[in-house]
Amino acid sequence: RRHAIENRDDLKSEVQALETHLGIRHWWTTGSEEWEKAKKMVTMAKYQRALDKLESLVVACLFELTKLNMSRTGYKLRKHIADALKARSQVIRTAVTTYNIAASELNRPKLSWDQVIEYTFLSDFDLLCDA
């Protein structure tokens, strides 16, 4: 316990030295202009990360579907790809949920599972048009 208190005090003095060095005169408080800018930036970063993840998963799924329908793809490989697609569908559902949470924080349109699975061609897949 004493060790933790000493660490806290050391960190507090390091923070104070850094604030002095950077010329920080007042802390951000909830609702201040700086706080709101940072909050918006963090929210946008979460949205972009969720969008990138969803997009990469769907594109990977589309490529796997393309591979599945190619000629000269043997039975074992088709079976393996089909199993991978089943597992990937749950990951995509989770990514859609994460995207919808991030989109709702920015008042962006949400996606449903049905909308995502309708992307059958890469030319149809255009999530970034809104970003």
Side-chain angles (χ1 to χ4, degrees):
R1 180 174 163 99
R2 186 177 55 115
H3 185 65
I5 292 172
E6 288 174 1
N7 283 341
R8 183 198 66 197
D9 292 341
D10 289 342
L11 290 174
K12 190 184 273 188
S13 53
E14 286 181 31
V15 167
Q16 289 171 348
L18 182 63
E19 287 174 346
T20 303
H21 178 71
L22 294 175
I24 297 173
R25 293 187 182 91
H26 65 282
W27 292 347
W28 293 355
T29 57
T30 306
S32 68
E33 183 180 339
E34 295 90 354
W35 181 278
E36 292 302 320
K37 281 182 185 177
K39 183 179 175 184
K40 187 173 183 177
M41 190 172 66
V42 167
T43 304
M44 189 62 168
K46 284 182 185 178
Y47 172 77
Q48 287 295 329
R49 206 168 31 250
L51 180 65
D52 290 343
K53 172 110 176 161
L54 177 60
E55 206 170 39
S56 67
L57 288 170
V58 171
V59 169
C61 185
L62 290 175
F63 282 129
E64 287 175 351
L65 284 171
T66 303
K67 177 72 175 173
L68 187 65
N69 291 326
M70 291 177 76
S71 62
R72 296 185 185 166
T73 303
Y75 174 77
K76 286 184 179 179
L77 183 57
R78 286 179 194 246
K79 182 75 171 148
H80 179 71
I81 292 172
D83 290 342
L85 287 172
K86 286 179 190 173
R88 189 175 303 274
S89 70
Q90 183 57 45
V91 174
I92 292 174
R93 285 180 191 268
T94 304
V96 168
T97 302
T98 304
Y99 168 83
N100 285 335
I101 291 169
S104 67
E105 291 177 7
L106 290 172
N107 296 324
R108 301 278 174 117
K110 294 182 180 181
L111 291 174
S112 68
W113 170 249
D114 295 332
Q115 287 175 307
V116 173
I117 60 171
E118 284 181 16
Y119 296 127
T120 55
F121 299 102
L122 285 176
S123 60
D124 292 341
F125 189 68
D126 196 16
L127 268 182
L128 281 178
C129 68
D130 184 42

